[in-house]
Amino acid sequence: MEHEIQPWRSVLYMPGSNPRALGKARDLAADALILDLEDAVTPSEKARARDLVAQTVREGGFGGRRVLVRVNGLGTHDCAADMAAICPAGPDGILVPKVEGADDVSQSVARMEAEGAAAGVRLWVMMETPRAVLRAAEIAASHPRLAGFVMGTNDLAKDLGAGDGRGPLATALSLCLLAARAEALVCLDGVFGKFRDLEGLRAHCVEGRAMGFDGVTLIHPGQIAVANEVFAPSAAERAAARAEVAAFEAARDQGEGVGVVDGRIVENLHADRARRLLARAAAIDALEADRADGPPAPQ
C-alpha cells in the first residue's frame, strides 16, 4: 500500500503563479507539495502559471518529496490546457478538483493518457462536494491509476451550509476514509485555515491522525513542522511497536498464537499494525535523511 511506505504527513499547497514560492519549494520540509493551478491562480494568470509549473516539475530537484499538480476542473478549457502542459512534465500525480463519480475519474485518466502521462503519474481527486462524498466508495474503486483522496473541507462545508468546527463534517470525513481504506488509497485531511494558530493546527492534526488520515494539507510553510511532528510515530510509539513485534514473534517461535507485553495480549493483528507503524517510521527517517543531504540540483 502506497500510503504505508511513503510519508504524507505534510502536504503543502503552493500557488503555481508565484515563481519565488516555487523556487523555495525544494528547501521546504514538507513530505509533498501540491503546485496549484486552480484556486490559487487568477484567470488572467492561468497560462503563465501552467508554463511555470510545468518548467518547475521538469527541473526536478525535490528529492524524496512527492509533487502533485492540481489542475482546473474537468470540462474547462483550462483543465485541457493544464493536462497538455503538465502530464508530459512528469509530476508524481495530477490532482483533479470537483470529481463527483466514476465517470469523472475515467475522463481524467483518459485525458492524462491522451496527453502522454507516464505510468508513474498517478491520479488524485479532491473530495469536496456532497455528491462526491455519497459516491466515495464508487470513486475509490473506479480505476487502478487512482492513488488518493484529498479532502476539500472548505468547499464541502460551504455546500453543506455547515457551522464552525469539525463536528458537522464528521460523517463526510469518515465515509471518505472508509472508501479510501477499502481500496488502499492515501487519504489526506483538509486544511486548517488559521495559519498563525499553531495550537489550533495541532489540535486539528491530532484529531485527523486519530481518525486515520495519512496526513494533512497545508496552506503555509509555517504549518509544516507541527504536521510532521503530529503525524509521525513518536519515540514511545516506535518502542511499543518493536516490543509488540518481538513478543508476538517470540510466542510464534514457541508455537503459541499470542504474545504478552506489559500484561496485554498481542495477537497477529497487533503485530501487523506495529510492523506498519515501524515501516512508516523508517520511511519518514529515510525522507528526512534525504533532506539533510540536500536536494539535488535542478536539471
Side-chain angles (χ1 to χ4, degrees):
M1 298 181 191
E2 183 177 351
H3 70 272
E4 292 175 349
I5 60 173
Q6 171 65 35
W8 296 98
R9 299 168 298 169
S10 53
V11 182
L12 178 67
Y13 285 103
M14 304 200 74
S17 57
N18 187 331
R20 183 168 176 270
L22 294 178
K24 292 183 175 181
R26 297 176 181 90
D27 299 324
L28 297 174
D31 288 348
L33 304 168
I34 297 175
L35 310 185
D36 192 15
L37 296 175
E38 192 209 13
D39 287 346
V41 179
T42 63
S44 64
E45 290 287 300
K46 296 286 188 184
R48 187 178 73 88
R50 76 173 58 94
D51 290 342
L52 179 59
V53 167
Q55 177 183 346
T56 300
V57 172
R58 282 194 301 269
E59 288 175 347
F62 293 95
R65 300 168 187 82
R66 292 295 188 259
V67 178
L68 313 181
V69 177
R70 182 164 70 172
V71 298
N72 286 274
L74 284 172
T76 66
H77 169 75
D78 283 316
C79 181
D82 292 344
M83 290 281 202
I86 301 302
C87 288
D92 294 295
I94 299 290
L95 175 60
V96 178
K98 301 296 191 294
V99 166
E100 294 197 317
D103 287 346
D104 289 343
V105 171
S106 297
Q107 290 179 41
S108 299
V109 171
R111 173 66 68 174
M112 290 169 63
E113 293 176 349
E115 298 298 350
V121 181
R122 305 295 298 279
L123 174 67
W124 290 67
V125 296
M126 297 291 302
M127 301 295 285
E128 54 188 339
T129 70
R131 186 172 286 111
V133 171
L134 292 174
R135 294 177 176 171
E138 167 196 318
I139 293 169
S142 60
H143 201 281
R145 195 154 190 161
L146 182 63
F149 285 174
V150 178
M151 298 305 303
T153 44
N154 287 339
D155 283 294
L156 185 58
K158 174 180 68 67
D159 286 354
L160 290 174
D164 294 336
R166 302 267 272 178
L169 299 180
T171 297
L173 296 173
S174 294
L175 285 171
C176 290
L177 274 163
L178 284 166
R181 290 296 175 259
E183 304 299 332
L185 302 182
V186 181
C187 197
L188 300 176
D189 200 358
V191 301
F192 181 76
K194 298 177 181 179
F195 64 89
R196 290 191 175 91
D197 180 6
L198 296 184
E199 287 309 307
L201 172 66
R202 182 175 296 277
H204 180 89
C205 291
V206 167
E207 184 177 41
R209 184 182 176 193
M211 291 184 71
F213 284 107
D214 296 295
V216 62
T217 46
L218 308 171
I219 60 172
H220 191 278
Q223 297 178 309
I224 293 172
V226 170
N228 282 349
E229 177 190 343
V230 173
F231 279 96
S234 66
E237 288 173 320
R238 294 182 187 213
R242 287 192 290 268
E244 288 185 348
V245 171
F248 178 78
E249 291 181 349
R252 183 192 58 195
D253 291 345
Q254 296 174 12
E256 299 174 359
V258 298
V260 178
V261 174
D262 296 331
R264 179 169 48 83
I265 292 295
V266 179
E267 298 178 294
N268 188 45
L269 68 93
H270 303 109
D272 281 348
R273 183 177 61 189
R275 291 187 189 99
R276 289 196 297 271
L277 183 146
L278 292 172
R280 189 164 64 251
I284 290 169
D285 291 346
L287 180 60
E288 293 186 343
D290 181 72
R291 288 184 190 133
D293 292 337
Q299 301 299 311

